[in-house]
């Protein structure tokens, strides 16, 4: 069997790429390890920046997001038991975020791709990539009902996330691994079945460490707690989590944090990033988390994956339709430029909100940064530029 492009992974990167390719008449096959039910219900990201929303709009993929998503123009910081709001859209020409659960976006994208005549194999196992530097790279896999198949293609899009097989199929030494030095901190990610106690995201900076109250939908809330990088999620009972959230988010105002049952076991998310460069090896092109890991701190991962997916598809379409390989040759640099900008935003946000618990000197500087953000329009404009990046 032969197709134009095999896309490995039906996450946001893979599905955006697949829709754009299929709509341009390119025969596309998506291979996904999980079931359809699983990808359409797996909770992850929620906050999407303007570049990602624009990319979805441009491709007619934003109907669900427009109907169900909630625009977000500001966020709240809590410091020394005082709350202040940063109206970041005002400093960014009205650009803002939209909160829309990633699994709902995935469901929209699956539907759009199938409507464009695309084919997805869910539940595949043992995916293997071959002949990546030839004109006809191949992918072999075992279907959900146990058949081994091999498909030849012109290009392979490696969109299978940080733990996928695509990047691992590239020979040792062909990519640079650019890793951040180990961070002392991680975030414990908690998802609870409770209506949010706020209408804006809250970044709480307290003497016990950072706590975040993020938004998902009207029945679900995401929380983060700064923990030691070596922390074990098993040590964090629901009781301990709520106790810390109450303590770290406390303000001298009439505000209550509502509790609810945890929807999944909490997990410890490392804050150390890694980039793999370039994002291409022969006819295999990487997109999204397959090419990097950025911390969820500034909520950039899914947005980058979406714009990578679109950029990849347009570059491959130019190569296949017009024999123009220039966009493909520029692909890695374009995507890396955006991703490093997003990384810088994440790094800056972590410096703003993570508390260096054992370092009074760093904490004094953090106090200054937060006071400047509260009082200086220049500091607020700088925050807005990072928070909404990449453009
Ligand atoms: P995904 O979403 O991981 O999708 C990859 C897909 O590939 C499949 N797969 C395979 N398929 C076939 N063969 C194999 N061998 C395969 N191995 C894996 C997987 O089943 C999956 O379906 O990657 P993609 O598309 O690159 O998208 C990346 C984003 O998912 C990720 O960056 C974000 O979720 C990060 N992130 C956030 N990003 C935001 O922009 N805003 C946020 O608010 C935000 N919050 C978050 C987050 C990530 C989190 N976690 C779970 C680390 C919050 C959390 C808690």
């Amino acid at each position: 069997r032969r197709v134009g492009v095999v896309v490995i992974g039906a996450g946001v990167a893979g599905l955006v790429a697949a829709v754009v390719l299929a709509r341009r008449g390119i025969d596309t096959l998506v291979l996904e390890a999980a079931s359809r039910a699983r990808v359409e219900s797996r909770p992850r990201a929620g906050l999407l920046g303007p570049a990602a929303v624009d990319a979805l709009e441009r491709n007619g993929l934003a109907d669900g997001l427009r109907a169900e998503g909630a625009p977000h123009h500001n966020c709240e910081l809590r410091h020394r038991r005082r709350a202040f709001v940063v109206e970041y859209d005002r400093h960014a020409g009205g650009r803002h975020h939209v909160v829309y659960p990633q699994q709902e976006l995935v469901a929209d994208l699956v539907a759009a791709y199938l409507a464009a005549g695309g084919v997805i194999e869910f539940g595949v196992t043992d995916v293997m990539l071959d002949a990546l530097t030839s004109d006809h790279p191949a992918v072999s896999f075992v279907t959900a009902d146990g058949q081994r198949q091999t498909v030849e293609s012109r290009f392979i899009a490696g969109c299978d996330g940080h733990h996928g097989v695509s990047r691992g199929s590239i020979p040792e030494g062909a990519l640079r691994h650019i890793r951040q030095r180990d961070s002392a901190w991680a975030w414990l990610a908690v998802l609870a079945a409770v209506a949010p106690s706020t209408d804006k995201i809250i970044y709480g900076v307290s003497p016990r460490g950072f706590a975040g109250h993020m938004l998902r939908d009207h029945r679900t809330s995401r929380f983060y707690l700064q923990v030691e990088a070596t922390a074990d999620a098993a040590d964090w009972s629901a009781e301990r989590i709520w106790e810390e959230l109450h303590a770290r988010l406390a303000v001298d105002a009439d505000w209550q944090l509502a509790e609810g049952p945890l929807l999944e076991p909490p997990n410890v998310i490392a804050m150390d990033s890694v980039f793999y460069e370039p994002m291409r090896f022969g006819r295999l092109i990487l997109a999204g988390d397959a090419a990097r890991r950025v911390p969820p701190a500034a909520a950039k991962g899914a947005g980058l994956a979406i714009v990578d997916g679109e950029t990849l598809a347009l570059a491959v379409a130019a190569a296949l339709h017009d024999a123009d390989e220039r966009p493909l040759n520029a692909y890695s640099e374009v995507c890396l430029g955006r991703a490093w900008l997003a990384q810088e935003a994440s790094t800056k946000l972590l410096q703003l909100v993570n508390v260096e618990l054992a370092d009074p000197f760093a904490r004094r500087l953090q106090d200054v940064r937060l006071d400047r953000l509260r009082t200086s329009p220049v500091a607020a404009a700088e925050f807005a530029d990072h928070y909404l990046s990449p453009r």
Side-chain angles (χ1 to χ4, degrees):
R1 185 171 165 199
R2 265 196 178 186
V3 299
V5 181
V6 177
V7 176
I8 303 176
V12 284
L15 289 166
V16 167
V19 175
V20 174
L21 288 164
R23 289 200 184 143
R24 279 167 177 69
I26 294 166
D27 190 11
T28 305
L29 171 67
V30 176
L31 301 177
E32 167 57 51
S35 67
R36 182 171 181 180
R38 174 80 186 126
V39 297
E40 294 184 353
S41 63
R42 185 172 46 194
R44 300 187 74 180
L47 193 65
L48 292 176
V53 174
D54 288 351
L56 295 169
E57 294 272 14
R58 260 196 306 278
N59 292 287
L61 296 169
D63 291 355
L65 177 140
R66 282 280 164 247
E68 309 283 335
H72 275 268
H73 303 269
N74 52 24
C75 64
E76 181 174 321
L77 283 106
R78 293 186 176 185
H79 176 222
R80 296 177 174 142
R81 302 182 65 91
R82 168 152 70 162
F84 64 94
V85 173
V86 182
E87 307 276 355
Y88 55 80
D89 64 330
R90 284 209 216 146
H91 298 279
R95 292 186 312 131
H96 60 273
H97 290 96
V98 176
V99 174
Y100 187 55
Q102 185 171 333
Q103 66 274 23
E104 289 175 32
L105 177 61
V106 165
D108 297 348
L109 294 172
V110 169
Y113 175 61
L114 295 176
V119 179
I120 309 189
E121 291 274 354
F122 287 102
V124 301
T125 49
D126 205 19
V127 176
M128 291 188 288
L129 286 63
D130 193 26
L132 297 177
T133 50
S134 77
D135 283 349
H136 289 285
V139 181
S140 92
F141 58 97
V142 175
T143 59
D145 56 6
Q147 310 289 317
R148 160 82 52 200
Q149 291 192 11
T150 301
V151 178
E152 266 193 14
S153 64
R154 302 287 304 282
F155 290 97
I156 300 172
C159 306
D160 45 352
H162 202 68
H163 305 287
V165 294
S166 304
R167 195 184 62 245
S169 311
I170 298 174
E172 195 76 28
L175 303 187
R176 290 181 295 276
H177 297 198
I178 306 188
R179 231 171 252 289
Q180 189 176 27
R181 281 198 317 235
D182 287 349
S183 157
W185 308 114
W187 281 7
L188 188 78
V190 175
L191 194 68
V194 61
S197 304
T198 173
D199 60 1
K200 35 182 107 52
I201 285 174
I202 303 174
Y203 295 95
V205 180
S206 90
R208 302 167 75 117
F210 163 75
H213 185 334
M214 310 292 146
L215 300 165
R216 285 300 178 263
D217 57 38
H218 62 280
R219 330 161 253 156
T220 320
S221 301
R222 162 100 50 212
F223 299 94
Y224 292 115
L225 284 170
Q226 174 190 348
V227 293
E228 310 253 333
T230 52
D232 183 349
D235 295 335
W236 285 86
S237 63
E239 197 186 358
R240 184 176 174 202
I241 288 169
W242 290 113
E243 194 182 305
E244 273 309 303
L245 286 170
H246 281 292
R248 296 188 192 184
L249 291 169
V251 269
D252 293 328
D254 185 19
W255 183 79
Q256 286 295 324
L257 174 66
E259 297 184 12
L262 304 191
L263 280 170
E264 55 181 25
N267 60 325
V268 174
I269 300 182
M271 290 292 132
D272 46 346
S273 305
V274 54
F275 283 66
Y276 302 91
E277 299 182 358
M279 291 168 58
R280 177 182 173 191
F281 177 74
R283 296 273 173 146
L284 168 64
I285 303 144
L286 302 177
D289 279 13
R292 72 186 73 94
R293 181 174 64 215
V294 295
K300 304 292 188 190
L304 289 174
I306 289 167
V307 286
D308 280 2
E310 186 198 36
T311 308
L312 182 155
L314 296 176
V316 166
L320 290 179
H321 282 323
D322 311 324
D324 178 4
E325 297 229 350
R326 283 171 303 178
L328 208 49
N329 293 335
Y331 170 79
S332 182
E333 207 177 314
V334 167
C335 294
L336 282 167
R338 284 192 298 244
W340 278 107
L341 196 59
Q343 173 61 47
E344 170 67 353
S346 262
T347 303
K348 282 277 180 345
L349 190 70
L350 287 174
Q351 283 172 354
L352 188 71
V353 302
N354 266 349
V355 183
E356 294 304 331
L357 293 166
D359 184 349
F361 190 93
R363 289 178 58 186
R364 291 291 186 282
L365 289 178
Q366 180 174 35
D367 290 342
V368 171
R369 278 185 214 122
L370 286 157
D371 286 341
R372 278 192 75 228
L373 181 58
R374 180 169 51 80
T375 56
S376 155
V378 176
E382 166 81 5
F383 176 89
D385 194 47
H386 277 309
Y387 202 45
L388 292 161
S389 75
R391 280 178 187 280

